[in-house]
Amino acid sequence: MYGFEAMTFNIHGGYLEAIVRGHRAGLLTAADYNNLCQCETLDDIKMHLSATEYGPYLQNEPSPLHTTTIVEKCTLKLVDEYKHMLCQATEPLSTFLEYITYGHMIDNVVLIVTGTLHERDVQELLEKCHPLGMFDSIATLAVAQNMRELYRLVLVDTPLAPYFSECITSEDLDDMNIEIMRNTLYKAYLEDFYKFCQKLGGATAEIMSDLLAFEADRRAVNITINSIGTELTRDDRRKLYSNFGLLYPYGHEELAVCEDIDQVRAVMEKYPPYQSIFSKLSYGESQMLDKAFYEEEVKRLCLAFEQQFHYGVFFAYMRLREQEIRNLMWISECVAQNQKSRVHDSVVFIF
């Protein structure tokens, strides 16, 4: 142990830690995935899921099913579990649980703003938002014309307000600016979450530092690859990287000047934990990179459950459940579109 957590943790956190470990036991296993991959129709998938914890959420759905329905109901289960844990939590765990949802809030803000820019119906956009990232004034995001208005009219009252200090400009919102805004917000959010975990100390700080550093490094790699061939300058690119993680600061200096995927690979192979990820890819290939990162993340998240008396298990569980929902969405899409040969391409086994 890293301190005296064992003596006091269970006073406030013991019940919820037991709950979250119970939820973890309900995650789908490799055997479940193998059975799901054999399914011929979406109704077969529903029938198989009826024997799992998703059963009650899908049992009243009429045929023919759609992939969106399956994903919606599985997400609803995650939201119900999250709300139950949040209701039972006391400080500082309740703040920690709220931090977990800020990433979804940022994604929802970006989704609404981008959709409005392309003249999509606000109601239709709201239905696509992740339920964990909803807040009261989200529908009014559609009225904003630039970053300053977006902040002044809507976001000043949300938990995202402090993260906006770096990206308040008077520039009009366009696709490039919105993407920069998303990454700037994410950078501020990850750094804030990292500081909060450091303040908690003990095993929580140790485990969450590792998980958040991995997330920051993955985002740095994705930003680099996505900005190759765009008008984003090296300095602008460097500003979007988080100020912590294994790649900070020297890896960031090298990533900022990369001009193709092989140069990114050369930088990442200097860091042993990431060497194994890039060794799975052939040169010049970036399509399978996301899957390789997800597999590494799942491995790290599962390790968080090996220790007790820390809050990292709540973060790990939420992330594992989200990965499971991504797996179910991919399998359902492959079955619905009769592309069963590709079903294993994006499924990341959790256990």
Side-chain angles (χ1 to χ4, degrees):
M1 289 309 300
Y2 302 92
F4 295 101
E5 291 104 322
M7 294 171 69
T8 57
F9 183 89
N10 283 350
I11 299 170
H12 296 297
Y15 167 67
L16 280 177
E17 191 185 1
I19 289 280
V20 84
R21 285 177 186 276
H23 287 327
R24 172 206 180 254
L27 289 167
L28 300 179
T29 60
D32 289 319
Y33 283 122
N34 286 331
N35 290 339
L36 286 167
C37 292
Q38 304 301 318
C39 292
E40 295 293 331
T41 64
L42 292 182
D43 285 319
D44 292 349
I45 290 178
K46 175 187 166 185
M47 191 175 75
H48 182 78
L49 290 177
S50 65
T52 69
E53 290 186 359
Y54 292 116
Y57 289 86
L58 287 165
Q59 65 188 12
N60 296 326
E61 290 304 313
S63 295
L65 270 178
H66 297 286
T67 306
T68 46
T69 312
I70 293 175
V71 173
E72 219 172 87
K73 294 299 172 187
C74 294
T75 307
L76 182 63
K77 176 188 183 314
L78 174 65
V79 172
D80 286 350
E81 288 169 355
Y82 172 80
K83 284 182 177 167
H84 174 239
M85 291 192 290
L86 189 61
C87 287
Q88 301 285 342
T90 54
E91 284 295 340
L93 177 55
S94 54
T95 304
F96 182 89
L97 288 172
E98 282 167 5
Y99 265 107
I100 294 174
T101 63
Y102 292 173
H104 294 301
M105 278 189 196
I106 293 169
D107 290 339
N108 286 355
V109 168
V110 170
L111 177 70
I112 300 272
V113 174
T114 311
T116 309
L117 186 68
H118 295 165
E119 297 176 357
R120 302 282 292 280
D121 179 44
V122 178
Q123 202 51 45
E124 184 191 325
L125 292 169
L126 286 173
E127 284 167 17
K128 287 186 177 166
C129 285
H130 197 290
L132 281 178
M134 297 303 262
F135 50 88
D136 293 340
S137 53
I138 192 164
T140 51
L141 284 170
V143 299
Q145 297 298 314
N146 59 40
M147 306 281 187
R148 190 166 270 123
E149 278 184 24
L150 194 66
Y151 176 75
R152 190 172 57 81
L153 298 175
V154 185
L155 296 168
V156 72
D157 293 326
T158 70
L160 300 181
Y163 308 150
F164 255 83
S165 58
E166 280 188 51
C167 55
I168 297 178
T169 62
S170 299
E171 288 178 33
D172 285 346
L173 294 167
D174 61 28
D175 284 341
M176 183 73 160
N177 284 337
I178 291 170
E179 209 44 49
I180 290 173
M181 176 182 83
R182 181 210 294 270
N183 286 303
T184 311
L185 286 176
Y186 239 103
K187 172 192 172 179
Y189 155 61
L190 284 176
E191 287 174 3
D192 191 28
F193 197 3
Y194 184 79
K195 280 183 199 141
F196 177 73
C197 293
Q198 293 297 321
K199 206 165 72 186
L200 291 177
T204 302
E206 176 99 2
I207 287 158
M208 285 304 297
S209 297
D210 179 56
L211 295 174
L212 291 173
F214 179 77
E215 179 67 20
D217 291 344
R218 174 170 62 183
R219 292 194 74 80
V221 172
N222 285 339
I223 287 166
T224 307
I225 291 171
N226 293 337
S227 63
I228 290 169
T230 65
E231 65 221 45
L232 204 67
T233 65
R234 290 171 180 183
D235 287 339
D236 288 342
R237 193 191 283 184
R238 196 180 291 120
K239 279 182 200 158
L240 298 176
Y241 300 151
S242 302
N243 294 328
F244 67 97
L246 192 61
L247 298 176
Y248 175 76
Y250 303 112
H252 289 172
E253 296 294 329
E254 292 184 63
L255 282 178
V257 298
C258 288
E259 285 176 6
D260 62 42
I261 178 75
D262 287 334
Q263 289 179 4
V264 175
R265 184 191 186 114
V267 173
M268 297 304 285
E269 283 180 342
K270 295 176 186 174
Y271 297 86
Y274 300 128
Q275 209 170 357
S276 58
I277 294 175
F278 280 81
S279 65
K280 295 175 187 173
L281 310 176
S282 55
Y283 279 88
E285 177 191 55
S286 62
Q287 284 87 0
M288 296 304 287
L289 185 60
D290 278 347
K291 187 184 179 185
F293 269 125
Y294 281 139
E295 283 171 347
E296 178 64 25
E297 183 186 31
V298 162
K299 214 182 294 175
R300 290 171 185 235
L301 294 171
C302 289
L303 284 175
F305 286 92
E306 299 297 316
Q307 292 191 41
Q308 235 179 323
F309 311 122
H310 66 90
Y311 294 156
V313 288
F314 297 95
F315 178 82
Y317 171 70
M318 297 294 285
R319 282 301 177 88
L320 287 172
R321 194 58 99 176
E322 283 168 19
Q323 179 59 52
E324 184 171 279
I325 292 168
R326 276 196 295 273
N327 288 344
L328 287 171
M329 180 163 90
W330 177 262
I331 293 170
S332 303
E333 283 291 357
C334 286
V335 169
Q337 294 175 25
N338 212 7
Q339 295 279 337
K340 285 186 66 185
S341 57
R342 298 189 55 203
V343 81
H344 285 287
D345 286 2
S346 280
V347 173
V348 177
F349 292 110
I350 294 175
F351 296 117

